[in-house]
Amino acid sequence: KSQKVVAKQIAPKVARKRLFWNTIDESKLKENTFWSQAQEQTSLQLVGLDVDNEEFASLFTSPVNKSPAPKKETAPDVKKPSAKQKIQLIDSRRRMNGSILLTKFKVDYKVLSKQVDSMEYVKAEGNELRGMMQLLPTKDEALALRSYLPPIDAPQSEIDDAVVKLGECEQYMAVMLDVPDAKDKFQCMVFRADFEQHTESIRNGTKLLIEACDSVRNSERFRKVLVYALKLGNALNTGGTSEEVKAITLDSLLKLAEAKAFDRQTSVLHYLVSIIQKNDEDVLKLSEDFVTVKAAERVAVDMLNQQLREMKNGIKLVKKTALKFTPNPTCPMDEAPDTLEDDLLELSQMGKFSLSAEAKIKSLSNEFDNAKSNFSDLLDF
């Protein structure tokens, strides 16, 4: 009898590791969401879950002492002072940098000025055109050059002789002085040179986002991981009581890697993997379902959105500039109807490009909106 009588002892208080996740009120769960489906599908109930209780207790029910990690000291950057440069017609440093660029891009400046004036296609990369645009003379530089050059009504041979005596950068600036709206025209040419690269970047990023969303939504393994995480989190936070939550937010999965056991080595995520390995090892092949998700990590939605917005603004400038320099004797430009505007754009190389590019941008915008809609639907799911 004495062996059957067990004295009641007060259970010692132990510190329990908690998982600070974000829960979802069960009353707010819609019928078509994952967590509602998880409560109904037999394959996601995890009946007979194999868990080593002693191992669980040893990892997550011991006191913990944390010691702050020592801070790393970084040596301050030492900047070397820059030497002063001499100034001639234009700033010597700007002249030197400009000469280096122009020497690499071997072209007759008079021919280039005509190409820029008519916004013709120039065999050059966007960065090269952008560099030449930045070398357009400022007001002060233009004043200095005009003071040096002979008057406009002087013989052309005299003007040419004066230009030849200038350095590479000054020669380029002198030729570009008389190109009207040169900066706007250069911007149009830069936009055209970069267009295919930017459209390909947006299209590839959009495609990856759509494929990644489909991979997450259709992965049965990922669904099981969510249920395993819910079970383990409830065991940590409630100790097996009836106060279990029915759903958690997606960002709660990040807490699994952050929360550590009392041994300071084992994270809740590591322990979750060991539980899954004991019960359903196939779930650990989740990475096979998420190949496109891994690729989509490098896709920045905000950056794609910004690129698309810049392209929409850019094509407006291209059309406006192309129309401005397209002769239309029958109708003032600000009164031209859309049909006439398109006809006028067909008269120049840059105008034709603007019509084709505008159609491609509209298509890209629709594709990107579809990708964002898929992502939003996935978050709701």
Side-chain angles (χ1 to χ4, degrees), residues 106-124:
K106 298 178 180 179
V107 64
D108 186 295
Y109 299 145
K110 287 186 177 181
V111 174
L112 179 61
S113 67
K114 293 179 180 179
Q115 291 174 323
V116 173
D117 192 29
S118 58
M119 291 180 289
E120 297 177 9
Y121 173 75
V122 177
K123 191 176 180 181

mmCIF file with all atom_site columns, all heavy atoms in Angstrom, residues 106-124:
data_model
loop_
_atom_site.group_PDB
_atom_site.id
_atom_site.type_symbol
_atom_site.label_atom_id
_atom_site.label_alt_id
_atom_site.label_comp_id
_atom_site.label_asym_id
_atom_site.label_entity_id
_atom_site.label_seq_id
_atom_site.pdbx_PDB_ins_code
_atom_site.Cartn_x
_atom_site.Cartn_y
_atom_site.Cartn_z
_atom_site.occupancy
_atom_site.B_iso_or_equiv
_atom_site.pdbx_formal_charge
_atom_site.auth_seq_id
_atom_site.auth_comp_id
_atom_site.auth_asym_id
_atom_site.auth_atom_id
_atom_site.pdbx_PDB_model_num
ATOM 1   N N   . LYS A 1 106 ? 35.217 55.991 -81.176 1.00 0.00 ? 106 LYS A N   1
ATOM 2   C CA  . LYS A 1 106 ? 35.792 56.660 -82.340 1.00 0.00 ? 106 LYS A CA  1
ATOM 3   C C   . LYS A 1 106 ? 34.689 57.010 -83.336 1.00 0.00 ? 106 LYS A C   1
ATOM 4   O O   . LYS A 1 106 ? 34.064 56.130 -83.920 1.00 0.00 ? 106 LYS A O   1
ATOM 5   C CB  . LYS A 1 106 ? 36.843 55.764 -82.986 1.00 0.00 ? 106 LYS A CB  1
ATOM 6   C CG  . LYS A 1 106 ? 38.027 55.461 -82.066 1.00 0.00 ? 106 LYS A CG  1
ATOM 7   C CD  . LYS A 1 106 ? 39.023 54.532 -82.723 1.00 0.00 ? 106 LYS A CD  1
ATOM 8   C CE  . LYS A 1 106 ? 40.200 54.244 -81.787 1.00 0.00 ? 106 LYS A CE  1
ATOM 9   N NZ  . LYS A 1 106 ? 41.195 53.322 -82.392 1.00 0.00 ? 106 LYS A NZ  1
ATOM 10  N N   . VAL A 1 107 ? 34.453 58.289 -83.520 1.00 0.00 ? 107 VAL A N   1
ATOM 11  C CA  . VAL A 1 107 ? 33.395 58.735 -84.423 1.00 0.00 ? 107 VAL A CA  1
ATOM 12  C C   . VAL A 1 107 ? 33.710 60.164 -84.864 1.00 0.00 ? 107 VAL A C   1
ATOM 13  O O   . VAL A 1 107 ? 34.356 60.930 -84.133 1.00 0.00 ? 107 VAL A O   1
ATOM 14  C CB  . VAL A 1 107 ? 32.014 58.675 -83.728 1.00 0.00 ? 107 VAL A CB  1
ATOM 15  C CG1 . VAL A 1 107 ? 31.947 59.632 -82.563 1.00 0.00 ? 107 VAL A CG1 1
ATOM 16  C CG2 . VAL A 1 107 ? 30.893 58.932 -84.715 1.00 0.00 ? 107 VAL A CG2 1
ATOM 17  N N   . ASP A 1 108 ? 33.271 60.508 -86.055 1.00 0.00 ? 108 ASP A N   1
ATOM 18  C CA  . ASP A 1 108 ? 33.387 61.876 -86.550 1.00 0.00 ? 108 ASP A CA  1
ATOM 19  C C   . ASP A 1 108 ? 32.329 62.724 -85.854 1.00 0.00 ? 108 ASP A C   1
ATOM 20  O O   . ASP A 1 108 ? 31.134 62.440 -85.930 1.00 0.00 ? 108 ASP A O   1
ATOM 21  C CB  . ASP A 1 108 ? 33.172 61.896 -88.070 1.00 0.00 ? 108 ASP A CB  1
ATOM 22  C CG  . ASP A 1 108 ? 33.419 63.277 -88.660 1.00 0.00 ? 108 ASP A CG  1
ATOM 23  O OD1 . ASP A 1 108 ? 32.653 64.196 -88.325 1.00 0.00 ? 108 ASP A OD1 1
ATOM 24  O OD2 . ASP A 1 108 ? 34.359 63.427 -89.460 1.00 0.00 ? 108 ASP A OD2 1
ATOM 25  N N   . TYR A 1 109 ? 32.763 63.764 -85.143 1.00 0.00 ? 109 TYR A N   1
ATOM 26  C CA  . TYR A 1 109 ? 31.830 64.539 -84.337 1.00 0.00 ? 109 TYR A CA  1
ATOM 27  C C   . TYR A 1 109 ? 30.773 65.248 -85.172 1.00 0.00 ? 109 TYR A C   1
ATOM 28  O O   . TYR A 1 109 ? 29.630 65.418 -84.727 1.00 0.00 ? 109 TYR A O   1
ATOM 29  C CB  . TYR A 1 109 ? 32.595 65.546 -83.468 1.00 0.00 ? 109 TYR A CB  1
ATOM 30  C CG  . TYR A 1 109 ? 33.551 64.897 -82.500 1.00 0.00 ? 109 TYR A CG  1
ATOM 31  C CD1 . TYR A 1 109 ? 34.765 65.488 -82.179 1.00 0.00 ? 109 TYR A CD1 1
ATOM 32  C CD2 . TYR A 1 109 ? 33.238 63.677 -81.900 1.00 0.00 ? 109 TYR A CD2 1
ATOM 33  C CE1 . TYR A 1 109 ? 35.656 64.888 -81.293 1.00 0.00 ? 109 TYR A CE1 1
ATOM 34  C CE2 . TYR A 1 109 ? 34.107 63.067 -81.015 1.00 0.00 ? 109 TYR A CE2 1
ATOM 35  C CZ  . TYR A 1 109 ? 35.315 63.672 -80.725 1.00 0.00 ? 109 TYR A CZ  1
ATOM 36  O OH  . TYR A 1 109 ? 36.184 63.059 -79.848 1.00 0.00 ? 109 TYR A OH  1
ATOM 37  N N   . LYS A 1 110 ? 31.132 65.652 -86.384 1.00 0.00 ? 110 LYS A N   1
ATOM 38  C CA  . LYS A 1 110 ? 30.140 66.292 -87.245 1.00 0.00 ? 110 LYS A CA  1
ATOM 39  C C   . LYS A 1 110 ? 29.052 65.296 -87.655 1.00 0.00 ? 110 LYS A C   1
ATOM 40  O O   . LYS A 1 110 ? 27.858 65.622 -87.674 1.00 0.00 ? 110 LYS A O   1
ATOM 41  C CB  . LYS A 1 110 ? 30.822 66.879 -88.489 1.00 0.00 ? 110 LYS A CB  1
ATOM 42  C CG  . LYS A 1 110 ? 31.637 68.124 -88.219 1.00 0.00 ? 110 LYS A CG  1
ATOM 43  C CD  . LYS A 1 110 ? 32.152 68.720 -89.524 1.00 0.00 ? 110 LYS A CD  1
ATOM 44  C CE  . LYS A 1 110 ? 32.909 70.018 -89.264 1.00 0.00 ? 110 LYS A CE  1
ATOM 45  N NZ  . LYS A 1 110 ? 33.411 70.625 -90.543 1.00 0.00 ? 110 LYS A NZ  1
ATOM 46  N N   . VAL A 1 111 ? 29.480 64.075 -87.972 1.00 0.00 ? 111 VAL A N   1
ATOM 47  C CA  . VAL A 1 111 ? 28.509 63.024 -88.317 1.00 0.00 ? 111 VAL A CA  1
ATOM 48  C C   . VAL A 1 111 ? 27.629 62.706 -87.118 1.00 0.00 ? 111 VAL A C   1
ATOM 49  O O   . VAL A 1 111 ? 26.404 62.555 -87.227 1.00 0.00 ? 111 VAL A O   1
ATOM 50  C CB  . VAL A 1 111 ? 29.242 61.749 -88.801 1.00 0.00 ? 111 VAL A CB  1
ATOM 51  C CG1 . VAL A 1 111 ? 28.254 60.609 -89.016 1.00 0.00 ? 111 VAL A CG1 1
ATOM 52  C CG2 . VAL A 1 111 ? 30.012 62.043 -90.075 1.00 0.00 ? 111 VAL A CG2 1
ATOM 53  N N   . LEU A 1 112 ? 28.253 62.613 -85.947 1.00 0.00 ? 112 LEU A N   1
ATOM 54  C CA  . LEU A 1 112 ? 27.501 62.316 -84.729 1.00 0.00 ? 112 LEU A CA  1
ATOM 55  C C   . LEU A 1 112 ? 26.472 63.406 -84.437 1.00 0.00 ? 112 LEU A C   1
ATOM 56  O O   . LEU A 1 112 ? 25.330 63.110 -84.042 1.00 0.00 ? 112 LEU A O   1
ATOM 57  C CB  . LEU A 1 112 ? 28.463 62.169 -83.547 1.00 0.00 ? 112 LEU A CB  1
ATOM 58  C CG  . LEU A 1 112 ? 27.813 61.891 -82.195 1.00 0.00 ? 112 LEU A CG  1
ATOM 59  C CD1 . LEU A 1 112 ? 27.045 60.586 -82.211 1.00 0.00 ? 112 LEU A CD1 1
ATOM 60  C CD2 . LEU A 1 112 ? 28.867 61.886 -81.080 1.00 0.00 ? 112 LEU A CD2 1
ATOM 61  N N   . SER A 1 113 ? 26.856 64.668 -84.620 1.00 0.00 ? 113 SER A N   1
ATOM 62  C CA  . SER A 1 113 ? 25.921 65.762 -84.334 1.00 0.00 ? 113 SER A CA  1
ATOM 63  C C   . SER A 1 113 ? 24.694 65.690 -85.243 1.00 0.00 ? 113 SER A C   1
ATOM 64  O O   . SER A 1 113 ? 23.566 65.968 -84.811 1.00 0.00 ? 113 SER A O   1
ATOM 65  C CB  . SER A 1 113 ? 26.619 67.112 -84.492 1.00 0.00 ? 113 SER A CB  1
ATOM 66  O OG  . SER A 1 113 ? 26.971 67.346 -85.859 1.00 0.00 ? 113 SER A OG  1
ATOM 67  N N   . LYS A 1 114 ? 24.893 65.292 -86.497 1.00 0.00 ? 114 LYS A N   1
ATOM 68  C CA  . LYS A 1 114 ? 23.754 65.139 -87.404 1.00 0.00 ? 114 LYS A CA  1
ATOM 69  C C   . LYS A 1 114 ? 22.871 63.971 -86.994 1.00 0.00 ? 114 LYS A C   1
ATOM 70  O O   . LYS A 1 114 ? 21.635 64.052 -87.082 1.00 0.00 ? 114 LYS A O   1
ATOM 71  C CB  . LYS A 1 114 ? 24.266 64.938 -88.841 1.00 0.00 ? 114 LYS A CB  1
ATOM 72  C CG  . LYS A 1 114 ? 24.956 66.164 -89.434 1.00 0.00 ? 114 LYS A CG  1
ATOM 73  C CD  . LYS A 1 114 ? 25.458 65.890 -90.837 1.00 0.00 ? 114 LYS A CD  1
ATOM 74  C CE  . LYS A 1 114 ? 26.155 67.111 -91.429 1.00 0.00 ? 114 LYS A CE  1
ATOM 75  N NZ  . LYS A 1 114 ? 26.685 66.849 -92.794 1.00 0.00 ? 114 LYS A NZ  1
ATOM 76  N N   . GLN A 1 115 ? 23.490 62.886 -86.539 1.00 0.00 ? 115 GLN A N   1
ATOM 77  C CA  . GLN A 1 115 ? 22.728 61.722 -86.079 1.00 0.00 ? 115 GLN A CA  1
ATOM 78  C C   . GLN A 1 115 ? 21.909 62.058 -84.835 1.00 0.00 ? 115 GLN A C   1
ATOM 79  O O   . GLN A 1 115 ? 20.758 61.630 -84.700 1.00 0.00 ? 115 GLN A O   1
ATOM 80  C CB  . GLN A 1 115 ? 23.673 60.552 -85.796 1.00 0.00 ? 115 GLN A CB  1
ATOM 81  C CG  . GLN A 1 115 ? 24.319 59.966 -87.039 1.00 0.00 ? 115 GLN A CG  1
ATOM 82  C CD  . GLN A 1 115 ? 25.352 58.907 -86.699 1.00 0.00 ? 115 GLN A CD  1
ATOM 83  O OE1 . GLN A 1 115 ? 26.091 59.025 -85.706 1.00 0.00 ? 115 GLN A OE1 1
ATOM 84  N NE2 . GLN A 1 115 ? 25.428 57.864 -87.521 1.00 0.00 ? 115 GLN A NE2 1
ATOM 85  N N   . VAL A 1 116 ? 22.514 62.823 -83.936 1.00 0.00 ? 116 VAL A N   1
ATOM 86  C CA  . VAL A 1 116 ? 21.787 63.234 -82.727 1.00 0.00 ? 116 VAL A CA  1
ATOM 87  C C   . VAL A 1 116 ? 20.656 64.184 -83.090 1.00 0.00 ? 116 VAL A C   1
ATOM 88  O O   . VAL A 1 116 ? 19.534 64.080 -82.568 1.00 0.00 ? 116 VAL A O   1
ATOM 89  C CB  . VAL A 1 116 ? 22.747 63.898 -81.717 1.00 0.00 ? 116 VAL A CB  1
ATOM 90  C CG1 . VAL A 1 116 ? 21.971 64.474 -80.533 1.00 0.00 ? 116 VAL A CG1 1
ATOM 91  C CG2 . VAL A 1 116 ? 23.787 62.907 -81.231 1.00 0.00 ? 116 VAL A CG2 1
ATOM 92  N N   . ASP A 1 117 ? 20.927 65.098 -83.998 1.00 0.00 ? 117 ASP A N   1
ATOM 93  C CA  . ASP A 1 117 ? 19.912 66.076 -84.394 1.00 0.00 ? 117 ASP A CA  1
ATOM 94  C C   . ASP A 1 117 ? 18.684 65.397 -84.979 1.00 0.00 ? 117 ASP A C   1
ATOM 95  O O   . ASP A 1 117 ? 17.543 65.798 -84.720 1.00 0.00 ? 117 ASP A O   1
ATOM 96  C CB  . ASP A 1 117 ? 20.514 67.057 -85.397 1.00 0.00 ? 117 ASP A CB  1
ATOM 97  C CG  . ASP A 1 117 ? 19.623 68.269 -85.625 1.00 0.00 ? 117 ASP A CG  1
ATOM 98  O OD1 . ASP A 1 117 ? 18.871 68.643 -84.691 1.00 0.00 ? 117 ASP A OD1 1
ATOM 99  O OD2 . ASP A 1 117 ? 19.652 68.842 -86.730 1.00 0.00 ? 117 ASP A OD2 1
ATOM 100 N N   . SER A 1 118 ? 18.893 64.337 -85.765 1.00 0.00 ? 118 SER A N   1
ATOM 101 C CA  . SER A 1 118 ? 17.763 63.623 -86.378 1.00 0.00 ? 118 SER A CA  1
ATOM 102 C C   . SER A 1 118 ? 17.369 62.389 -85.573 1.00 0.00 ? 118 SER A C   1
ATOM 103 O O   . SER A 1 118 ? 16.468 61.649 -85.973 1.00 0.00 ? 118 SER A O   1
ATOM 104 C CB  . SER A 1 118 ? 18.121 63.212 -87.806 1.00 0.00 ? 118 SER A CB  1
ATOM 105 O OG  . SER A 1 118 ? 19.293 62.401 -87.824 1.00 0.00 ? 118 SER A OG  1
ATOM 106 N N   . MET A 1 119 ? 18.038 62.132 -84.445 1.00 0.00 ? 119 MET A N   1
ATOM 107 C CA  . MET A 1 119 ? 17.774 60.992 -83.564 1.00 0.00 ? 119 MET A CA  1
ATOM 108 C C   . MET A 1 119 ? 17.814 59.675 -84.325 1.00 0.00 ? 119 MET A C   1
ATOM 109 O O   . MET A 1 119 ? 16.967 58.801 -84.156 1.00 0.00 ? 119 MET A O   1
ATOM 110 C CB  . MET A 1 119 ? 16.426 61.160 -82.839 1.00 0.00 ? 119 MET A CB  1
ATOM 111 C CG  . MET A 1 119 ? 16.414 62.262 -81.820 1.00 0.00 ? 119 MET A CG  1
ATOM 112 S SD  . MET A 1 119 ? 14.825 62.445 -80.972 1.00 0.00 ? 119 MET A SD  1
ATOM 113 C CE  . MET A 1 119 ? 13.827 63.128 -82.305 1.00 0.00 ? 119 MET A CE  1
ATOM 114 N N   . GLU A 1 120 ? 18.834 59.530 -85.147 1.00 0.00 ? 120 GLU A N   1
ATOM 115 C CA  . GLU A 1 120 ? 19.021 58.290 -85.879 1.00 0.00 ? 120 GLU A CA  1
ATOM 116 C C   . GLU A 1 120 ? 19.623 57.228 -84.964 1.00 0.00 ? 120 GLU A C   1
ATOM 117 O O   . GLU A 1 120 ? 20.142 57.522 -83.889 1.00 0.00 ? 120 GLU A O   1
ATOM 118 C CB  . GLU A 1 120 ? 19.963 58.524 -87.076 1.00 0.00 ? 120 GLU A CB  1
ATOM 119 C CG  . GLU A 1 120 ? 19.426 59.496 -88.115 1.00 0.00 ? 120 GLU A CG  1
ATOM 120 C CD  . GLU A 1 120 ? 20.438 59.740 -89.223 1.00 0.00 ? 120 GLU A CD  1
ATOM 121 O OE1 . GLU A 1 120 ? 21.458 59.024 -89.255 1.00 0.00 ? 120 GLU A OE1 1
ATOM 122 O OE2 . GLU A 1 120 ? 20.209 60.647 -90.043 1.00 0.00 ? 120 GLU A OE2 1
ATOM 123 N N   . TYR A 1 121 ? 19.551 55.982 -85.436 1.00 0.00 ? 121 TYR A N   1
ATOM 124 C CA  . TYR A 1 121 ? 20.158 54.889 -84.672 1.00 0.00 ? 121 TYR A CA  1
ATOM 125 C C   . TYR A 1 121 ? 21.672 55.024 -84.719 1.00 0.00 ? 121 TYR A C   1
ATOM 126 O O   . TYR A 1 121 ? 22.264 55.190 -85.779 1.00 0.00 ? 121 TYR A O   1
ATOM 127 C CB  . TYR A 1 121 ? 19.739 53.534 -85.239 1.00 0.00 ? 121 TYR A CB  1
ATOM 128 C CG  . TYR A 1 121 ? 20.470 52.372 -84.600 1.00 0.00 ? 121 TYR A CG  1
ATOM 129 C CD1 . TYR A 1 121 ? 20.142 51.950 -83.319 1.00 0.00 ? 121 TYR A CD1 1
ATOM 130 C CD2 . TYR A 1 121 ? 21.502 51.727 -85.274 1.00 0.00 ? 121 TYR A CD2 1
ATOM 131 C CE1 . TYR A 1 121 ? 20.817 50.897 -82.725 1.00 0.00 ? 121 TYR A CE1 1
ATOM 132 C CE2 . TYR A 1 121 ? 22.180 50.677 -84.694 1.00 0.00 ? 121 TYR A CE2 1
ATOM 133 C CZ  . TYR A 1 121 ? 21.831 50.265 -83.424 1.00 0.00 ? 121 TYR A CZ  1
ATOM 134 O OH  . TYR A 1 121 ? 22.504 49.232 -82.838 1.00 0.00 ? 121 TYR A OH  1
ATOM 135 N N   . VAL A 1 122 ? 22.323 54.959 -83.564 1.00 0.00 ? 122 VAL A N   1
ATOM 136 C CA  . VAL A 1 122 ? 23.779 55.030 -83.459 1.00 0.00 ? 122 VAL A CA  1
ATOM 137 C C   . VAL A 1 122 ? 24.263 53.727 -82.844 1.00 0.00 ? 122 VAL A C   1
ATOM 138 O O   . VAL A 1 122 ? 23.731 53.271 -81.830 1.00 0.00 ? 122 VAL A O   1
ATOM 139 C CB  . VAL A 1 122 ? 24.224 56.226 -82.584 1.00 0.00 ? 122 VAL A CB  1
ATOM 140 C CG1 . VAL A 1 122 ? 25.741 56.244 -82.436 1.00 0.00 ? 122 VAL A CG1 1
ATOM 141 C CG2 . VAL A 1 122 ? 23.746 57.530 -83.192 1.00 0.00 ? 122 VAL A CG2 1
ATOM 142 N N   . LYS A 1 123 ? 25.267 53.129 -83.465 1.00 0.00 ? 123 LYS A N   1
ATOM 143 C CA  . LYS A 1 123 ? 25.789 51.863 -82.957 1.00 0.00 ? 123 LYS A CA  1
ATOM 144 C C   . LYS A 1 123 ? 26.621 52.124 -81.713 1.00 0.00 ? 123 LYS A C   1
ATOM 145 O O   . LYS A 1 123 ? 27.841 52.289 -81.764 1.00 0.00 ? 123 LYS A O   1
ATOM 146 C CB  . LYS A 1 123 ? 26.632 51.169 -84.030 1.00 0.00 ? 123 LYS A CB  1
ATOM 147 C CG  . LYS A 1 123 ? 26.995 49.730 -83.673 1.00 0.00 ? 123 LYS A CG  1
ATOM 148 C CD  . LYS A 1 123 ? 27.749 49.054 -84.804 1.00 0.00 ? 123 LYS A CD  1
ATOM 149 C CE  . LYS A 1 123 ? 28.100 47.617 -84.451 1.00 0.00 ? 123 LYS A CE  1
ATOM 150 N NZ  . LYS A 1 123 ? 28.856 46.948 -85.556 1.00 0.00 ? 123 LYS A NZ  1
ATOM 151 N N   . ALA A 1 124 ? 25.938 52.203 -80.601 1.00 0.00 ? 124 ALA A N   1
ATOM 152 C CA  . ALA A 1 124 ? 26.601 52.466 -79.314 1.00 0.00 ? 124 ALA A CA  1
ATOM 153 C C   . ALA A 1 124 ? 25.727 51.930 -78.193 1.00 0.00 ? 124 ALA A C   1
ATOM 154 O O   . ALA A 1 124 ? 24.500 51.832 -78.333 1.00 0.00 ? 124 ALA A O   1
ATOM 155 C CB  . ALA A 1 124 ? 26.839 53.960 -79.129 1.00 0.00 ? 124 ALA A CB  1
#
